[in-house]
Amino acid sequence: MQNENTSAPAETQTRDKRANSGFTQWVTVPASLGHLHEVREIPNSDPPAFSVRISVPQGRGEYIKYANLDLIIDSASALALLLKHSAQINQKETKVTLSFEYYNPFPDAYLLKNPDGSFKTDKQGNPEQRAVIRGKLSRIAYLKVGNQVVYGKGKPENAVKSESVTPLREKAETKSARSSRKTA
């Protein structure tokens, strides 16, 4: 048996040129309600990946604040649904509401940019930063674009199972169905 150096640092993962601790967190956040602002392709990703920008209201009455989420789409059915309606979603005047689940949340910061590409600065000349929660979008339960419900309540013909939870169960059911047909 080889001697392993157990005191060596854990392997690091890089994401956007920043080191991550290598710790894999599997926390699923239950269904949330939010406002979808944008569907975009992540540049230089192989294979192509897409992300969404969502604002989730928090608080009550006049004390509502919004948490910003930037989620990578991790479900084929959610990606197909969002790409189908991406032209409407990306219009600023269209209001888009959704109920969704996501996992692996972690905090991050980003710098604000001007339309010309330069960074916005505060009064002291420092770049302006905003907080964001990043993670992976696993399921969409409801999607309303403008005044029309395009997925979810009242739209059973559009119902799609989430692949992130059910593929092994479906494969097992398919195999058992095939084997029962062969024996019959």
Side-chain angles (χ1 to χ4, degrees):
M1 180 172 173
Q2 277 186 324
N3 290 338
E4 294 182 19
N5 183 359
T6 56
S7 63
E11 290 184 37
T12 59
Q13 299 174 350
T14 57
R15 191 181 131 358
D16 297 333
K17 300 178 185 172
R18 291 186 294 257
N20 206 349
S21 67
F23 173 72
T24 304
Q25 180 181 8
W26 296 102
V27 175
T28 300
V29 178
S32 301
L33 185 66
H35 303 288
L36 179 61
H37 299 289
E38 180 182 26
V39 176
R40 64 185 181 281
E41 185 172 4
I42 300 172
N44 303 325
S45 60
D46 186 35
F50 292 83
S51 68
V52 291
R53 193 168 50 91
I54 301 172
S55 296
V56 178
Q58 297 179 337
R60 292 188 176 150
E62 60 189 59
Y63 302 105
I64 292 179
K65 294 192 176 190
Y66 288 89
N68 295 317
L69 304 176
D70 190 18
L71 304 175
I72 295 172
I73 302 169
D74 196 36
S75 165
S77 59
L79 178 62
L81 178 65
L82 293 172
L83 289 179
K84 180 179 177 183
H85 299 285
S86 65
Q88 296 168 315
I89 292 168
N90 290 335
Q91 293 175 357
K92 290 190 178 200
E93 61 274 354
T94 305
K95 202 173 194 183
V96 181
T97 307
L98 78 159
S99 175
F100 63 99
E101 290 180 5
Y102 64 101
Y103 66 97
N104 281 6
F106 65 94
D108 201 1
Y110 65 95
L111 299 175
L112 296 179
K113 286 188 177 182
N114 291 316
D116 66 357
S118 64
F119 291 108
K120 286 187 176 182
T121 56
D122 58 15
K123 293 178 183 176
Q124 290 82 24
N126 300 321
E128 283 192 50
Q129 289 189 17
R130 295 287 187 269
V132 67
I133 298 171
R134 298 194 192 272
K136 295 194 176 193
L137 178 70
S138 59
R139 180 175 173 264
I140 295 177
Y142 174 80
L143 181 65
K144 181 179 177 182
V145 179
N147 292 326
Q148 181 182 7
V149 176
V150 296
Y151 179 76
K153 298 175 190 171
K155 292 287 184 181
E157 67 274 7
N158 292 336
V160 182
K161 294 178 184 174
S162 172
E163 307 74 42
S164 59
V165 177
T166 59
L168 296 176
R169 187 181 312 134
E170 289 176 351
K171 284 181 182 176
E173 289 171 358
T174 305
K175 283 183 181 178
S176 65
R178 279 190 218 141
S179 63
S180 65
R181 274 188 256 146
K182 287 179 183 177
T183 58

